[in-house]
């Protein structure tokens, strides 16, 4: 549902409810009936707030999913662990930053891969690589600078684009992404032109070679889970609720005293930090970064991944990334490699037409129909 439809629904609901309020004998409208609220079994617990959050929101399926993710690399080949598992987690983390902006903030940004690329280029330029332009700083300092520069870049993108909506936000962020692509392509002093930086590998820490498939998979899994639970927590925090209110009706939130621009820029900062983390992992995964890593096709691919999974669920980007990586890896064995964009474009078109909420929305629709059919066929009423 678009922001305009949400605003229309909210305004009509408010008007309709005001007109239906019953009047008392004194002429005053009767108070609205109280909505029953389920008691919180953990309200009186002395446990920390984050632990009570886990108790409320972690269910059996989450535990089973976690066990599956932990067992997965031990039952498949190293190729599948690295090429499918690790790549899915890293691309899902980039798409998660877009889901936070678009799904909960109403701001569709095409510059998220650009933010990840800026962080990746920072790692390659300040750290070690096979190119003489790299400065060779220690990896810990390089990672801090990469995250900081990526976050600041996202704030700049947000500051320039939050005053627009809809297609204009998409066009401004796309223009910034294309501008950075040509900057990296044509600048040989800092970005090394079209050759980029080769042999950018993760460091060896605690005697663990994080370049190995198993180690890199668990490194990606740790940051993907951290990003997922952070977004789950954030959208239920006061900031996340205010951000969703701004998405639905910015004028009303502004009238209530919320600084709409500041909230939107803050959302860009948070999403930029997530994208920067993914950018560091992505350059370590590929072992290189070139202008092709931040080209227009990848700017669009991140949007496709987020829409495939579903933009209203933090788990959606990872599901979309899994479908994208599977098609990217195995579809070329069935059809011609040049036809991959046709396959992923057809899947994207089918999802948009038949399930605007992505694969998760399609699953919810099908499970609801099966549940209703089972209730009808059951003899027990």
């Amino acid at each position: 549902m678009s922001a305009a439809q949400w605003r229309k629904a909210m305004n009509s609901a408010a008007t309709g409810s005001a007109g239906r309020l019953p009047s008392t004998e004194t002429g005053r409208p009767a108070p609205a009936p109280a909505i029953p609220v389920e008691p919180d079994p953990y309200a009186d617990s002395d446990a920390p707030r984050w632990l009570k959050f886990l108790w409320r929101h972690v269910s059996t399926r989450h535990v089973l999913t976690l066990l599956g993710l932990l067992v997965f690399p031990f039952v498949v080949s190293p190729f599948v662990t690295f090429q499918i598992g690790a790549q899915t987690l890293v691309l899902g983390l980039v798409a998660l930053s877009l889901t936070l902006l678009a799904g909960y903030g109403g701001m569709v940004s095409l510059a998220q891969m650009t933010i990840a690329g800026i962080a990746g280029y920072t790692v390659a330029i300040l750290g070690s690589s096979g190119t003489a332009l790299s400065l060779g700083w220690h990896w810990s300092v390089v990672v801090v600078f990469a995250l900081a520069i990526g976050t600041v870049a996202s704030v700049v993108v947000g500051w320039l684009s939050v005053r627009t909506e809809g297609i204009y936000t998409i066009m401004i962020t796309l223009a910034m992404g294309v501008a950075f692509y040509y900057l990296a392509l044509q600048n040989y002093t800092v970005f090394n032109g079209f050759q980029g930086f080769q042999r950018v590998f993760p460091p060896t820490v605690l005697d663990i070679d994080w370049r190995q498939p198993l180690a890199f998979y668990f490194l990606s899994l740790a940051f993907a889970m951290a990003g997922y639970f952070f977004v789950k927590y954030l959208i239920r925090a006061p900031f996340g609720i205010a951000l969703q209110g701004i998405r639905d009706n910015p004028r009303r939130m502004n009238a209530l005293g919320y600084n709409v621009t500041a909230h939107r820029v803050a959302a860009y900062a948070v999403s930029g930090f997530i994208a920067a983390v993914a950018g560091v992992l992505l350059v370590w995964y590929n072992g290189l970064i070139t202008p092709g890593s931040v080209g227009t096709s990848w700017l669009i691919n991140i949007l496709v991944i987020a829409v495939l999974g579903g933009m209203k669920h933090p788990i959606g980007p990872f599901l979309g990334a899994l479908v994208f990586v599977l098609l990217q890896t195995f579809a070329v064995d069935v059809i011609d490699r040049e036809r991959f964009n046709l396959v992923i474009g057809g899947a994207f078109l089918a999802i948009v037409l038949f399930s605007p909420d992505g694969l998760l929305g399609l699953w919810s629709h099908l499970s609801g129909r099966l549940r209703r059919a089972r209730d009808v066929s059951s003899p027990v009423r």
Side-chain angles (χ1 to χ4, degrees):
M1 179 178 290
S2 65
Q5 290 174 314
W6 266 107
R7 285 196 294 271
K8 184 178 179 180
M10 291 179 64
N11 293 332
S12 62
T15 305
S17 62
R20 290 193 300 269
L21 283 176
S23 300
T24 60
E25 295 179 354
T26 59
R28 297 178 179 178
I35 300 175
V37 178
E38 296 183 1
D40 185 3
Y42 311 109
D44 299 331
S45 175
D46 296 332
R49 187 176 178 181
W50 63 270
L51 186 58
K52 290 195 287 187
F53 172 80
L54 291 179
W55 288 344
R56 293 189 187 101
H57 300 287
V58 176
S59 62
T60 304
R61 71 173 186 274
H62 292 105
V63 176
L64 294 177
T65 303
L66 177 60
L67 291 176
L69 290 172
L70 294 176
V71 173
F72 170 76
F74 298 103
V75 297
V76 299
S77 65
F79 170 80
V80 175
T81 300
F82 191 72
Q83 189 71 23
I84 305 297
Q87 187 178 194
T88 296
L89 294 171
V90 175
L91 290 180
L93 198 56
V94 182
L96 179 65
S97 67
L98 175 58
T99 297
L100 175 63
L101 281 180
Y104 299 99
M107 299 170 286
V108 180
S109 169
L110 293 183
Q112 294 311 106
M113 197 61 180
T114 301
I115 303 302
I118 290 174
Y121 263 110
T122 304
V123 171
I125 294 171
L126 300 183
S128 301
S129 72
T131 307
L133 290 177
S134 297
L135 300 179
W137 291 8
H138 192 266
W139 68 269
S140 59
V141 180
V142 170
V143 170
V144 172
F145 269 89
L147 299 182
I149 292 175
T151 305
V152 171
S154 183
V155 170
V156 173
V157 171
W159 184 75
L160 292 174
S161 61
V162 294
R163 292 169 181 80
T164 61
E165 291 184 353
I167 187 63
Y168 301 103
T169 303
I170 297 175
M171 295 307 295
I172 287 178
T173 52
L174 176 62
M176 295 179 190
V178 174
F180 180 74
Y181 165 74
Y182 280 106
L183 173 66
L185 181 66
Q186 299 175 357
N187 183 284
Y188 286 84
T189 305
V190 178
F191 296 99
N192 202 27
F194 71 93
Q195 295 179 349
F197 294 82
Q198 316 292 327
R199 301 178 62 80
V200 186
F201 300 131
T204 300
V205 183
L206 302 175
D207 294 332
I208 300 175
D209 185 5
W210 296 99
R211 187 185 171 190
Q212 296 300 317
L214 187 63
F216 190 80
Y217 171 82
F218 281 110
L219 179 67
S220 304
L221 179 62
F223 283 104
M225 289 182 59
Y228 169 77
F229 283 110
F230 174 71
V231 172
K232 288 274 289 184
Y233 176 81
L234 187 66
I235 59 178
R236 289 172 171 80
F239 171 77
I241 295 174
L243 185 64
Q244 294 171 68
I246 291 172
R247 172 200 63 190
D248 296 338
N249 198 328
R251 291 183 179 180
R252 181 174 295 179
M253 294 299 290
N254 187 45
L256 290 174
Y258 288 92
N259 191 327
V260 173
T261 301
H263 275 76
R264 286 176 169 172
V265 173
Y268 266 94
V270 175
S271 68
F273 182 81
I274 297 174
V277 172
V280 174
L281 293 173
L282 193 60
V283 71
W284 284 346
Y285 168 81
N286 290 320
L288 58 88
I289 185 164
T290 64
S293 305
V294 293
T296 308
S297 61
W298 275 108
L299 303 184
I300 304 298
N301 285 342
I302 296 302
L303 177 64
V304 170
I305 290 172
V307 172
L308 276 179
M311 279 194 171
K312 297 179 182 177
H313 315 274
I315 196 63
F318 297 100
L319 182 60
L322 176 62
V323 174
F324 181 88
V325 172
L326 288 175
L327 288 176
Q328 184 186 46
T329 305
F330 297 109
V332 295
D333 296 331
V334 180
I335 61 173
D336 186 41
R337 179 179 294 273
E338 301 298 328
R339 303 294 183 186
F340 166 72
N341 289 330
L342 178 63
V343 175
I344 196 67
F348 177 78
L349 185 61
I351 289 296
V352 170
L353 287 177
F354 299 106
S355 179
D357 197 15
L359 294 173
L360 289 174
L362 185 62
W363 168 252
S364 300
H365 177 71
L366 293 177
S367 60
R369 293 194 63 175
L370 291 175
R371 193 181 308 111
R372 287 193 295 271
R374 185 170 60 248
D375 293 341
V376 170
S377 60
S378 174
V380 180
R381 302 292 183 183

PDB file of all heavy atoms in Angstrom, residues 55 60 84 110 118 123 136-137 203 326 335 338:
ATOM      1  N   TRP A  55      12.661 -12.582  25.061  1.00  0.00           N
ATOM      2  CA  TRP A  55      11.619 -13.474  25.550  1.00  0.00           C
ATOM      3  C   TRP A  55      10.298 -13.241  24.819  1.00  0.00           C
ATOM      4  O   TRP A  55       9.542 -14.163  24.546  1.00  0.00           O
ATOM      5  CB  TRP A  55      11.429 -13.270  27.046  1.00  0.00           C
ATOM      6  CG  TRP A  55      12.561 -13.815  27.866  1.00  0.00           C
ATOM      7  CD1 TRP A  55      13.520 -14.689  27.448  1.00  0.00           C
ATOM      8  CD2 TRP A  55      12.847 -13.509  29.224  1.00  0.00           C
ATOM      9  NE1 TRP A  55      14.399 -14.952  28.476  1.00  0.00           N
ATOM     10  CE2 TRP A  55      14.010 -14.247  29.575  1.00  0.00           C
ATOM     11  CE3 TRP A  55      12.253 -12.695  30.182  1.00  0.00           C
ATOM     12  CZ2 TRP A  55      14.574 -14.191  30.837  1.00  0.00           C
ATOM     13  CZ3 TRP A  55      12.810 -12.628  31.450  1.00  0.00           C
ATOM     14  CH2 TRP A  55      13.960 -13.380  31.775  1.00  0.00           C
ATOM     15  N   THR A  60       9.697 -20.413  18.628  1.00  0.00           N
ATOM     16  CA  THR A  60      10.282 -21.708  18.274  1.00  0.00           C
ATOM     17  C   THR A  60      10.864 -21.691  16.865  1.00  0.00           C
ATOM     18  O   THR A  60      11.934 -22.256  16.607  1.00  0.00           O
ATOM     19  CB  THR A  60       9.205 -22.802  18.384  1.00  0.00           C
ATOM     20  OG1 THR A  60       8.646 -22.778  19.701  1.00  0.00           O
ATOM     21  CG2 THR A  60       9.805 -24.180  18.121  1.00  0.00           C
ATOM     22  N   ILE A  84      26.862 -19.451  -1.732  1.00  0.00           N
ATOM     23  CA  ILE A  84      25.430 -19.278  -1.481  1.00  0.00           C
ATOM     24  C   ILE A  84      25.183 -18.664  -0.102  1.00  0.00           C
ATOM     25  O   ILE A  84      24.516 -17.631   0.014  1.00  0.00           O
ATOM     26  CB  ILE A  84      24.692 -20.628  -1.591  1.00  0.00           C
ATOM     27  CG1 ILE A  84      24.971 -21.276  -2.958  1.00  0.00           C
ATOM     28  CG2 ILE A  84      23.194 -20.422  -1.377  1.00  0.00           C
ATOM     29  CD1 ILE A  84      24.482 -20.489  -4.128  1.00  0.00           C
ATOM     30  N   LEU A 110      18.077   4.383  -3.845  1.00  0.00           N
ATOM     31  CA  LEU A 110      18.867   3.511  -4.711  1.00  0.00           C
ATOM     32  C   LEU A 110      20.366   3.669  -4.460  1.00  0.00           C
ATOM     33  O   LEU A 110      21.170   3.148  -5.226  1.00  0.00           O
ATOM     34  CB  LEU A 110      18.559   3.801  -6.182  1.00  0.00           C
ATOM     35  CG  LEU A 110      17.149   3.436  -6.653  1.00  0.00           C
ATOM     36  CD1 LEU A 110      16.989   3.714  -8.136  1.00  0.00           C
ATOM     37  CD2 LEU A 110      16.836   1.983  -6.352  1.00  0.00           C
ATOM     38  N   ILE A 118      31.307   2.754  -0.975  1.00  0.00           N
ATOM     39  CA  ILE A 118      32.195   3.749  -0.365  1.00  0.00           C
ATOM     40  C   ILE A 118      32.961   3.128   0.803  1.00  0.00           C
ATOM     41  O   ILE A 118      34.175   3.328   0.959  1.00  0.00           O
ATOM     42  CB  ILE A 118      31.377   4.970   0.093  1.00  0.00           C
ATOM     43  CG1 ILE A 118      30.874   5.740  -1.134  1.00  0.00           C
ATOM     44  CG2 ILE A 118      32.197   5.868   0.990  1.00  0.00           C
ATOM     45  CD1 ILE A 118      29.939   6.887  -0.796  1.00  0.00           C
ATOM     46  N   VAL A 123      38.124   0.581   2.724  1.00  0.00           N
ATOM     47  CA  VAL A 123      38.930  -0.558   3.178  1.00  0.00           C
ATOM     48  C   VAL A 123      40.093  -0.807   2.228  1.00  0.00           C
ATOM     49  O   VAL A 123      41.235  -1.047   2.645  1.00  0.00           O
ATOM     50  CB  VAL A 123      38.042  -1.817   3.305  1.00  0.00           C
ATOM     51  CG1 VAL A 123      38.889  -3.058   3.548  1.00  0.00           C
ATOM     52  CG2 VAL A 123      37.025  -1.642   4.410  1.00  0.00           C
ATOM     53  N   GLY A 136      48.031   0.690   3.512  1.00  0.00           N
ATOM     54  CA  GLY A 136      48.534  -0.364   4.381  1.00  0.00           C
ATOM     55  C   GLY A 136      48.319  -0.138   5.864  1.00  0.00           C
ATOM     56  O   GLY A 136      49.079  -0.624   6.694  1.00  0.00           O
ATOM     57  N   TRP A 137      47.265   0.586   6.240  1.00  0.00           N
ATOM     58  CA  TRP A 137      46.964   0.797   7.656  1.00  0.00           C
ATOM     59  C   TRP A 137      46.500  -0.517   8.289  1.00  0.00           C
ATOM     60  O   TRP A 137      46.086  -1.451   7.607  1.00  0.00           O
ATOM     61  CB  TRP A 137      45.872   1.851   7.815  1.00  0.00           C
ATOM     62  CG  TRP A 137      46.314   3.248   7.434  1.00  0.00           C
ATOM     63  CD1 TRP A 137      47.499   3.608   6.850  1.00  0.00           C
ATOM     64  CD2 TRP A 137      45.554   4.451   7.586  1.00  0.00           C
ATOM     65  NE1 TRP A 137      47.538   4.948   6.633  1.00  0.00           N
ATOM     66  CE2 TRP A 137      46.356   5.512   7.077  1.00  0.00           C
ATOM     67  CE3 TRP A 137      44.304   4.751   8.095  1.00  0.00           C
ATOM     68  CZ2 TRP A 137      45.926   6.835   7.075  1.00  0.00           C
ATOM     69  CZ3 TRP A 137      43.869   6.072   8.095  1.00  0.00           C
ATOM     70  CH2 TRP A 137      44.679   7.098   7.599  1.00  0.00           C
ATOM     71  N   PRO A 203      41.549  -9.880   7.347  1.00  0.00           N
ATOM     72  CA  PRO A 203      42.779 -10.156   8.112  1.00  0.00           C
ATOM     73  C   PRO A 203      42.698 -11.498   8.840  1.00  0.00           C
ATOM     74  O   PRO A 203      41.630 -12.100   8.970  1.00  0.00           O
ATOM     75  CB  PRO A 203      42.824  -9.001   9.098  1.00  0.00           C
ATOM     76  CG  PRO A 203      41.387  -8.675   9.326  1.00  0.00           C
ATOM     77  CD  PRO A 203      40.696  -8.899   8.010  1.00  0.00           C
ATOM     78  N   LEU A 326      20.536 -17.796  -5.587  1.00  0.00           N
ATOM     79  CA  LEU A 326      20.276 -19.099  -6.210  1.00  0.00           C
ATOM     80  C   LEU A 326      20.057 -18.961  -7.713  1.00  0.00           C
ATOM     81  O   LEU A 326      20.594 -19.744  -8.503  1.00  0.00           O
ATOM     82  CB  LEU A 326      19.054 -19.757  -5.550  1.00  0.00           C
ATOM     83  CG  LEU A 326      19.258 -20.291  -4.126  1.00  0.00           C
ATOM     84  CD1 LEU A 326      17.938 -20.800  -3.555  1.00  0.00           C
ATOM     85  CD2 LEU A 326      20.296 -21.413  -4.119  1.00  0.00           C
ATOM     86  N   ILE A 335      19.938 -21.705 -18.523  1.00  0.00           N
ATOM     87  CA  ILE A 335      19.788 -20.804 -19.669  1.00  0.00           C
ATOM     88  C   ILE A 335      21.113 -20.105 -19.918  1.00  0.00           C
ATOM     89  O   ILE A 335      22.081 -20.312 -19.191  1.00  0.00           O
ATOM     90  CB  ILE A 335      18.681 -19.754 -19.399  1.00  0.00           C
ATOM     91  CG1 ILE A 335      19.073 -18.918 -18.180  1.00  0.00           C
ATOM     92  CG2 ILE A 335      17.343 -20.423 -19.209  1.00  0.00           C
ATOM     93  CD1 ILE A 335      18.145 -17.762 -17.944  1.00  0.00           C
ATOM     94  N   GLU A 338      23.736 -14.599 -20.346  1.00  0.00           N
ATOM     95  CA  GLU A 338      23.265 -13.257 -20.688  1.00  0.00           C
ATOM     96  C   GLU A 338      21.775 -13.092 -20.414  1.00  0.00           C
ATOM     97  O   GLU A 338      21.271 -11.975 -20.410  1.00  0.00           O
ATOM     98  CB  GLU A 338      23.557 -12.971 -22.163  1.00  0.00           C
ATOM     99  CG  GLU A 338      25.039 -13.055 -22.525  1.00  0.00           C
ATOM    100  CD  GLU A 338      25.866 -12.028 -21.771  1.00  0.00           C
ATOM    101  OE1 GLU A 338      25.326 -10.941 -21.481  1.00  0.00           O
ATOM    102  OE2 GLU A 338      27.037 -12.329 -21.470  1.00  0.00           O
TER     103      GLU A 338
END
